[in-house]
């Protein structure tokens, strides 16, 4: 292999920006000799990096029990352990007007693999998929590898980051295979109302496309809207629900996710569709068998006190973040987050000297203040910023103070 070719075939590597890729570059840009202050990263959605977030004691105990039983050292079925699929089906069914069966659930290595499965199942020559802007860039990357054309619809900040349904109707055609909805929202922190989700379902049904519902932040809400699963509208439009233990149980490194067909009308029960999904899972490596075996106990025994504690911390940290940003003239946040662990803020470059765009802002901030924030370009919005507020309150306040100092130092001086 040389010059990007294998046996004379040119290898086409997608040029998509990834969150991990740009965060790695930001970390590398920091002068290694500057140790007077610690680096504060508000770029990655990994709450385990902060001491205020812990998983419930139920989770490691269930894993230890599964390991010590000696029953789960071998291969699991490629679609997942039967008891794990059944437990997740029961867990998801609590919020639905119908019951899922274990046959509707497939176990994946985190939600990222569930995304890849969904797009792989839908890809065909000439197909396109509708993705939100801003959104989660793994979808673009997976689509590029699958040769799926991406068409973006906007989320509207002035309307709480609601979906621009008119744009969806204008973008869709006979080759559109799905529309992706991320709720609770990453990167915006929005939580859609029942009424808006129903409109999305009705629009998708009208266009004859299914909905991929990314609900990795499901139930992590602390605003006026409760979490409503997209699967509630499965009788209107077929829904592929993607989720994981990662965020709600604060165990992203366990890589336990799922791909569920929320479709009471039965489109996904077509034998050919089921066989296609099962065969694709035959080439995948799922989560460790003992992690899968722990899931039924984790879902059954985790109490509401644990969830409420996590929600309270997220509410407090989002308040700190939203209120702190009000003190920084060149940054504005059009919407107070109501869920997930992230929020978007707009950069006003006209108030800043020697800052060319959001990427320049983030690299200079990292070098000068040792604070890592994700440039909005990485999630589809140039000259915006994404901040992850799932952090220790003290560290969050310190980081915001540094951002304020940075902005003041780079502010244009206007003559009075």
């Amino acid at each position: 292999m040389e010059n990007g070719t294998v046996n004379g075939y040119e290898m086409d590597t997608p040029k998509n920006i990834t969150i991990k890729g740009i965060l790695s570059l930001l970390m590398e840009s920091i002068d290694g000799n500057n140790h007077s202050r610690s680096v504060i990263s508000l770029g990655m959605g990994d709450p385990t990096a902060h001491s205020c977030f812990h998983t419930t004691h139920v989770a490691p105990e269930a894993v230890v029990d599964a390991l010590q039983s000696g029953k789960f050292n071998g291969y699991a079925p490629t679609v997942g352990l039967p008891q794990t699929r059944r437990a997740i089906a029961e867990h998801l069914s609590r919020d639905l007007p119908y019951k899922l069966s274990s046959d509707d659930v497939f176990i994946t290595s985190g939600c990222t693999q569930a995304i890849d499965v969904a797009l792989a199942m839908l890809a065909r020559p000439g197909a396109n998929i509708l993705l939100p802007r801003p959104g989660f860039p793994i979808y673009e990357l997976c689509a590029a590898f699958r040769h799926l054309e991406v068409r973006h619809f906007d989320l509207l900040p002035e309307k709480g980051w609601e979906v621009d349904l008119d744009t969806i109707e204008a973008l869709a055609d006979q080759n559109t295979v799905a529309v992706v909805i991320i709720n609770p929202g990453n990167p915006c922190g929005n939580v859609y109302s029942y009424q808006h989700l129903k409109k999305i379902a009705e629009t998708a049904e009208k266009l004859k496309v299914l909905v991929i519902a990314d609900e990795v932040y499901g139930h992590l809400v602390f605003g006026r809207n409760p979490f409503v699963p997209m699967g509630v509208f499965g009788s209107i439009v077929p829904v592929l629900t993607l989720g994981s233990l990662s965020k709600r149980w604060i165990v992203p490194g366990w890589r336990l996710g799922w791909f569920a067909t929320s479709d009471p009308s039965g489109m996904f029960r077509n034998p050919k569709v089921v066989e296609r999904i099962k065969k694709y899972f035959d080439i995948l490596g799922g989560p460790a068998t003992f992690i899968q075996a722990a899931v039924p106990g984790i879902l059954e025994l985790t109490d509401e006190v644990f969830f409420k504690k996590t929600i309270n911390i997220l509410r407090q940290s989002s308040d700190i973040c939203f209120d702190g940003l009000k003190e920084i003239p060149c940054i504005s946040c059009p919407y107070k987050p109501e869920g997930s662990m992230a929020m978007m803020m707009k950069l006003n470059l006209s108030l800043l000297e020697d800052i060319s765009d959001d990427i320049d802002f983030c690299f200079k901030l990292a070098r000068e203040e040792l604070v890592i924030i994700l440039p909005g370009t990485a999630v589809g919005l140039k000259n915006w910023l994404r901040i992850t507020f799932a952090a220790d309150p003290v560290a969050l306040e310190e980081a915001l103070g540094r951002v304020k100092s940075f902005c003041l130092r780079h502010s244009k001086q206007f003559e009075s």
Side-chain angles (χ1 to χ4, degrees), residues 345-363:
M345 45 198 188
K346 191 168 186 177
L347 196 55
N348 187 344
L349 293 173
S350 69
L351 300 178
L352 296 171
E353 291 278 15
D354 66 17
I355 302 290
S356 60
D357 57 24
D358 56 315
I359 294 176
D360 189 33
F361 179 97
C362 289
F363 274 92

Side-chain angles (χ1 to χ4, degrees), residues 13 60 152 159 322:
T13 301
H152 288 103
K159 293 186 176 181
F322 187 75

Side-chain angles (χ1 to χ4, degrees), residues 170-303:
L171 290 173
D173 60 22
Q174 70 275 12
N175 292 317
T176 302
V177 292
V179 56
V180 172
I181 301 298
I182 305 174
N183 181 54
N186 176 25
C188 303
N190 53 289
V191 179
Y192 291 142
S193 67
Y194 179 98
Q195 292 78 10
H196 187 59
L197 290 169
K198 186 178 182 183
K199 288 180 182 177
I200 292 170
E202 290 169 344
T203 301
E205 192 281 329
K206 176 182 176 183
L207 299 170
K208 304 306 176 188
V209 300
L210 59 83
V211 175
I212 297 174
D214 184 328
E215 296 176 354
V216 72
Y217 288 98
H219 293 280
L220 290 177
V221 299
F222 39 84
R224 68 184 185 278
N225 289 331
F227 169 63
V228 178
M230 194 73 208
V232 165
F233 307 101
S235 58
I236 296 176
V237 64
V239 177
L240 294 178
T241 298
L242 316 181
S244 78
L245 293 185
S246 299
K247 309 298 184 180
R248 196 180 183 202
W249 273 269
I250 314 179
V251 288
W254 291 14
R255 313 309 299 142
L256 193 293
W258 55 81
F259 166 102
T261 56
S262 305
D263 172 37
S265 63
M267 185 189 91
F268 291 112
R269 295 194 182 97
N270 179 304
K272 290 185 178 180
V273 174
V274 172
E275 184 65 15
R276 177 173 165 80
I277 294 173
K278 286 182 176 180
K279 281 193 173 180
Y280 189 73
F281 270 87
D282 283 344
I283 65 173
L284 300 178
T289 307
F290 65 88
I291 296 289
Q292 294 190 45
V295 169
I298 293 171
L299 296 182
E300 180 183 354
L301 299 175
T302 302
D303 59 36

Side-chain angles (χ1 to χ4, degrees), residues 29 41 96 145 272 285 323 331 369 372:
S29 73
S41 178
L96 300 175
F145 274 109
K272 290 185 178 180
D323 293 340
I331 294 174
E369 295 291 347
I372 306 295

Side-chain angles (χ1 to χ4, degrees), residues 122-129 143 146-151 173-178:
L122 296 170
R124 55 177 169 76
N128 66 75
I129 188 168
R146 303 297 177 192
H147 303 290
L148 266 172
E149 178 194 348
V150 168
R151 298 179 181 180
D173 60 22
Q174 70 275 12
N175 292 317
T176 302
V177 292

Side-chain angles (χ1 to χ4, degrees), residues 9 81 83 102 117 130 174 180 202 212 252 304 330 373 379:
Y9 176 75
L81 288 175
Q83 61 268 43
S102 58
V117 171
L130 308 185
Q174 70 275 12
V180 172
E202 290 169 344
I212 297 174
E304 284 300 316
C330 66
I373 290 175
V379 294

